[in-house]
Amino acid sequence: MLVSAEHDPRRTGTIWALNLDEPSALITPRMPVTFGRCGSESAALLSEVMGCITPEAIIQRFEAGRQCYIAWAGNDLAAYAWVSFDEEFVSEFNLRIRLLPGEAYIWDCLTFPGFREHRLYSGLLAYVASQLREQELCRVWICTDGENVPSQRGIARAGFSHVADLIVSRVLAMRFVYVQGQPEIPDSLISETRRVFLDNRDNVWLSALSGVHG
Ligand SMILES: CC(C)(COP(=O)(O)OP(=O)(O)OC[C@H]1O[C@@H](n2cnc3c(N)ncnc32)[C@H](O)[C@@H]1OP(=O)(O)O)[C@@H](O)C(=O)NCCC(=O)NCCS
């Protein structure tokens, strides 16, 4: 089905993947930093620095099997990134993604303003990839807004490939969502992208207010 341009505005996400049988990018942050993984013992700290999320909600993330990776600059928490397995709700696009065993999805990443442009984000993503490889995962996904140039550059530097775009068109009270593969990416990987982001469908219609159903 075609959706005419008159139904815009459109929102575009960029979808990236990294096969973990490929070596990680080597990234040297431009400031002294220590990467690591934290757990529910850090819920209060994470709640304080992330804002708008309670320690209880952070603990729920950990109890649901999500992992949190952080960058320490001295005593300061400078950057963080969350990783999900199984499934995750992508709030920016109102989509629920579904993963197979062996796959992971990186989301809710941030470098605090005073620490930006020191390659902490790209370094943390590369670190997360190395840790997921040790956990014997095989592929990691990440998605970012089409207008978020710093995020896209950091993801690319960390070794991810831009596999597809997620196109979201508003049509009256509905949203029409589809995946548009990058030309050089094999069809098999584009199909995997549709499996993860659109539950194996070519496209989905969503209420403007809700996520993917079914
Ligand atoms: C996106 C974000 C995480 C980048 O963090 P960072 O630690 O500054 O990223 P890096 O230092 O690794 O920089 C990544 C790349 O983007 C570039 N970059 C960073 N900030 C930039 C800016 N404001 N304008 C243009 N390019 C920028 C860097 O030069 C680098 O490119 P290079 O490696 O080719 O030199 C950070 O800006 C942020 O937290 N933004 C708000 C939350 C967000 O967008 N999260 C990501 C959603 S998935």
Side-chain angles (χ1 to χ4, degrees):
M1 161 158 193
L2 290 177
V3 175
S4 74
E6 73 197 35
H7 293 121
D8 281 351
R10 287 180 165 211
R11 182 122 191 259
T12 310
T14 58
I15 300 174
W16 305 70
L18 177 68
N19 287 332
L20 294 173
D21 54 3
E22 296 161 14
S24 281
L26 262 185
I27 293 170
T28 309
R30 296 191 182 113
M31 62 183 295
V33 70
T34 306
F35 296 121
R37 178 176 158 193
C38 64
S40 50
E41 75 287 347
S42 303
L45 171 67
L46 288 168
S47 166
E48 188 185 325
V49 297
M50 290 169 67
C52 300
I53 181 163
T54 63
E56 292 73 23
I58 302 259
I59 288 169
Q60 278 173 10
R61 285 190 182 189
F62 286 120
E63 286 178 349
R66 297 167 178 133
Q67 298 179 355
C68 183
Y69 292 86
I70 47 181
W72 286 105
N75 292 326
D76 294 318
L77 201 163
Y80 62 81
W82 284 86
V83 182
S84 290
F85 310 87
D86 304 333
E87 62 173 53
E88 190 52 70
F89 183 69
V90 187
S91 57
E92 300 94 309
F93 300 104
N94 243 358
L95 280 179
R96 181 165 297 283
I97 65 158
R98 294 174 171 85
L99 304 164
L100 287 178
E103 293 184 310
Y105 177 68
I106 302 180
W107 60 292
D108 196 1
C109 305
L110 184 131
T111 300
F112 289 98
F115 299 99
R116 289 182 185 169
E117 298 192 63
H118 292 286
R119 298 217 168 126
L120 299 195
Y121 176 56
S122 38
L124 182 59
L125 292 180
Y127 175 78
V128 171
S130 70
Q131 296 301 297
L132 295 176
R133 185 178 293 108
E134 283 185 14
Q135 293 168 42
E136 300 191 345
L137 277 93
C138 59
R139 181 179 288 146
V140 56
W141 300 90
I142 188 167
C143 180
T144 195
D145 196 289
E147 293 180 358
N148 194 338
V149 173
S151 179
Q152 290 177 50
R153 287 180 62 166
I155 293 168
R157 180 165 294 282
F160 288 72
S161 298
H162 181 189
V163 296
D165 290 326
L166 191 64
I167 315 289
V168 185
S169 251
R170 186 78 178 259
V171 184
L172 301 176
M174 301 292 283
R175 288 174 304 116
F176 177 76
V177 187
Y178 62 97
V179 160
Q180 188 168 67
Q182 288 290 100
E184 71 281 11
I185 299 298
D187 289 347
S188 56
L189 187 49
I190 306 298
S191 297
E192 298 284 309
T193 309
R194 292 199 176 96
R195 168 182 56 77
V196 171
F197 285 82
L198 299 182
D199 202 15
N200 259 333
R201 287 168 281 188
D202 285 340
N203 53 63
V204 290
W205 283 97
L206 303 173
S207 154
L209 300 174
S210 64
V212 170
H213 304 292

